[in-house]
Amino acid sequence: KQEVTQIPAALSVPEGENLVLNCSFTDSAIYNLQWFRQDPGKGLTSLLLIQSSQREQTSGRLNASLDKSSGRSTLYIAASQPGDSATYLCAVESQGNLIFGKGTKLSVKP
Amino acid sequence: DTGVSQNPRHKITKRGQNVTFRCDPISEHNRLYWYRQTLGQGPEFLTYFQNEAQLEKSRLLSDRFSAERPKGSFSTLEIQRTEQGDSAMYLCASSFSQAYGYTFGSGTRLTVV
């Protein structure tokens, strides 16, 4: 059974710092991995999608990497801003649907 | 196309009542998913449609829950005889194919009092 773990559960950083969020999964047989952002009480906004054959994807200040063999992904956020404060969710497409971690709650202090 | 639309945004109901939620996916997406999210947890899979066919249901989907997708367009999720434990955010997502990932709606927050 696929399980997704995200570390840390919460992170607080001062504005301008670069940071890394971690995601690990137990079964390397995945189709893709997707990072989402969720603001309090809202739905999910897709940030980056990495296919299983890819190693990384970039969008603006965000860079996500995937190491399928070790079951790990990282989301790198450069020059963090207060507007980046949200919960970040990692999900793998496995066994026919998306399986999520519990998320990392990020707070960027001005 | 404005993305995945869910209605209502919020629903407060008394225990024992029935509720129905609606999801309108992105029009060209043939795959539609329902998820449930409780506070502090990641979303959990409930059920999946490809066109009008319901292809998979989670064990979380008790017999009080039913989902439909008539004509392969919008979908409804009905909960009968609601319980306090049903209080959660219900999320709908649609997808064109695995190569394009999932697009989620804003969710319906259900509170059972």
Side-chain angles (χ1 to χ4, degrees):
Chain A
K1 179 189 170 189
Q2 179 74 268
E3 293 182 359
V4 179
T5 303
Q6 290 189 246
I7 294 172
L11 181 64
S12 181
V13 300
E15 181 177 5
E17 270 204 8
N18 303 325
L19 58 100
V20 174
L21 308 181
N22 296 291
C23 172
S24 62
F25 46 95
T26 54
D27 185 348
S28 62
I30 64 170
Y31 290 107
N32 56 49
L33 183 145
Q34 204 165 352
W35 282 94
F36 295 89
R37 168 186 172 138
Q38 187 174 34
D39 293 293
K42 306 291 186 183
L44 278 61
T45 300
S46 180
L47 298 173
L48 290 165
L49 170 69
I50 310 178
Q51 299 296 334
S52 61
S53 58
Q54 297 174 324
R55 295 300 298 264
E56 67 177 337
Q57 283 289 330
T58 298
S59 175
R61 296 183 292 110
L62 304 180
N63 175 278
S65 68
L66 173 63
D67 183 341
K68 211 172 73 157
S69 61
S70 67
R72 294 173 188 270
S73 175
T74 61
L75 178 66
Y76 174 82
I77 302 177
S80 58
Q81 302 171 358
D84 295 330
S85 297
T87 296
Y88 290 80
L89 292 157
C90 166
V92 297
E93 178 149 15
S94 175
Q95 301 156 9
N97 63 80
L98 274 184
I99 299 169
F100 285 84
K102 293 184 179 181
T104 293
K105 186 173 183 179
L106 173 66
S107 176
V108 181
K109 305 293 187 186
Chain B
D1 197 348
T2 56
V4 178
S5 176
Q6 290 189 247
N7 287 288
R9 292 294 306 276
H10 303 275
K11 178 72 176 178
I12 300 174
T13 191
K14 291 183 179 178
R15 187 162 48 102
Q17 296 294 305
N18 300 342
V19 294
T20 300
F21 311 140
R22 177 177 170 128
C23 172
D24 288 272
I26 293 173
S27 56
E28 60 266 29
H29 288 185
N30 60 354
R31 302 180 339 156
L32 186 147
Y33 302 80
W34 285 98
Y35 284 78
R36 181 172 71 185
Q37 185 180 25
T38 53
L39 202 60
Q41 303 295 314
E44 296 175 294
F45 170 74
L46 292 178
T47 191
Y48 158 55
F49 289 86
Q50 182 153 330
N51 299 311
E52 66 274 12
Q54 188 173 19
L55 296 186
E56 192 173 347
K57 293 197 298 185
S58 161
R59 285 173 295 175
L60 293 175
L61 211 68
S62 76
D63 56 6
R64 295 185 298 106
F65 288 69
S66 63
E68 295 183 340
R69 192 183 182 195
K71 303 178 184 177
S73 56
F74 71 92
S75 176
T76 58
L77 177 67
E78 180 183 17
I79 309 174
Q80 296 182 329
R81 306 181 304 281
T82 52
E83 302 172 355
Q84 285 190 322
D86 297 331
S87 296
M89 173 77 89
Y90 289 84
L91 294 161
C92 176
S94 69
S95 172
F96 180 67
S97 77
Q98 289 167 342
Y100 295 93
Y102 291 48
T103 302
F104 278 80
S106 298
T108 294
R109 177 162 296 283
L110 173 66
T111 302
V112 182
V113 297

